[in-house]
Amino acid sequence: MIFDYFTDSTHWQGEEGIPNRLLQHLGYTGLALVIALVIAVPLGLYVGHTGRGGVVLVGASNTIRALPTLGLITFLFLLFTESGPVTTIGLVVLAIPPILAGTYAGVQATDHGVVDAAEGVGMTGWQRLWQVEVPIALPLLLGGVRNAVLQLVATAAVAAYVGLGGLGRYLLDGLAILDYSEVVAGAILTALLAIVLDLVLAGVQRALVPRGVRLAAAAASGKKIAVGGAE
């Protein structure tokens, strides 16, 4: 049944075709990710670098994580009746916590000895941040971005519940007419999209993270495993 669905040429054409639904889903995900990055990365860098507001940041992040995205989007839609902005707000709220946490944790994890050495050679606070702390924080920062993308791809399906497109239409429309092939196809496409995007971001992470930082992280991970095994 699933094979027949994917091999039917009518499912690959027009507004309701798979390519168009994929592009719509990517559009919702990409827009929410960009807005979340603009908000979360500077905030995470500031709090991680200065050490101010860390407790408030963690508490607010945990509170935001507890918000149900579908419930938030439905509530906002009832207030404003504008599907596009409402969906974007809901997805941005979902994406901010993992990016914020990854950025903050990455900067905080920077060895204080390295920061002190940078300060000792005359680096300003701005230089220490961008030349020392950010490169070292990149693995955790980008890990937070990857986490956010996976959550966005999975959750962007809620756009269909407020009249928009995306892969969520296959789930909603398929359930409405009891066409389970369409439902399963939507689930498979969503999972495949998440896997592909994660692989792309893994490649980007490998390209952006300095080799020395990768080796240091691997060494630290190996040391923790060895200590855990010895215990």
Side-chain angles (χ1 to χ4, degrees):
M1 293 173 63
I2 299 301
F3 179 78
D4 293 337
Y5 187 91
F6 282 114
T7 55
D8 187 340
S9 61
T10 60
H11 295 149
W12 294 86
Q13 302 170 4
E15 279 191 20
E16 298 183 2
I18 292 173
N20 189 53
R21 293 301 189 202
L22 277 171
L23 288 175
Q24 290 173 337
H25 207 91
L26 280 171
Y28 305 144
T29 300
L31 178 59
L33 179 64
V34 169
I35 296 174
L37 286 170
V38 170
I39 296 171
V41 171
L43 183 57
L45 291 177
Y46 172 78
V47 175
H49 178 68
T50 63
R52 300 172 184 168
V55 175
V56 175
L57 179 72
V58 172
S61 180
N62 290 334
T63 301
I64 292 173
R65 286 176 188 270
L67 292 174
T69 305
L70 179 57
L72 177 62
I73 290 176
T74 303
F75 174 71
L76 292 174
F77 182 70
L78 292 175
L79 287 179
F80 304 109
T81 65
E82 291 290 338
S83 300
V86 161
T87 300
T88 300
I89 292 171
L91 293 177
V92 168
V93 169
L94 173 72
I96 284 176
I99 299 174
L100 192 58
T103 305
Y104 170 72
V107 176
Q108 280 286 297
T110 304
D111 192 313
H112 292 296
V114 175
V115 177
D116 291 340
E119 186 175 4
V121 298
M123 282 189 173
T124 63
W126 188 259
Q127 289 173 326
R128 291 197 306 274
L129 174 64
W130 289 105
Q131 296 180 29
V132 177
E133 293 173 343
V134 169
I136 294 175
L138 272 179
L140 288 177
L141 192 160
L142 293 176
V145 173
R146 289 173 65 181
N147 187 5
V149 169
L150 291 176
Q151 292 185 45
L152 285 173
V153 171
T155 313
V158 301
Y161 286 88
V162 289
L164 297 180
L167 297 176
R169 290 254 50 111
Y170 295 127
L171 305 176
L172 191 64
D173 296 344
L175 286 173
I177 60 175
L178 301 181
D179 185 347
Y180 297 112
S181 294
E182 185 173 357
V183 174
V184 174
I188 290 174
L189 288 168
T190 302
L192 288 175
L193 180 60
I195 291 170
V196 170
L197 288 178
D198 191 56
L199 290 174
V200 170
L201 289 174
V204 171
Q205 182 172 345
R206 184 172 181 81
L208 291 181
V209 176
R211 185 169 181 270
V213 174
R214 292 203 308 270
L215 293 175
S221 177
K223 185 176 179 180
K224 287 180 181 179
I225 293 172
V227 172
E231 293 176 349

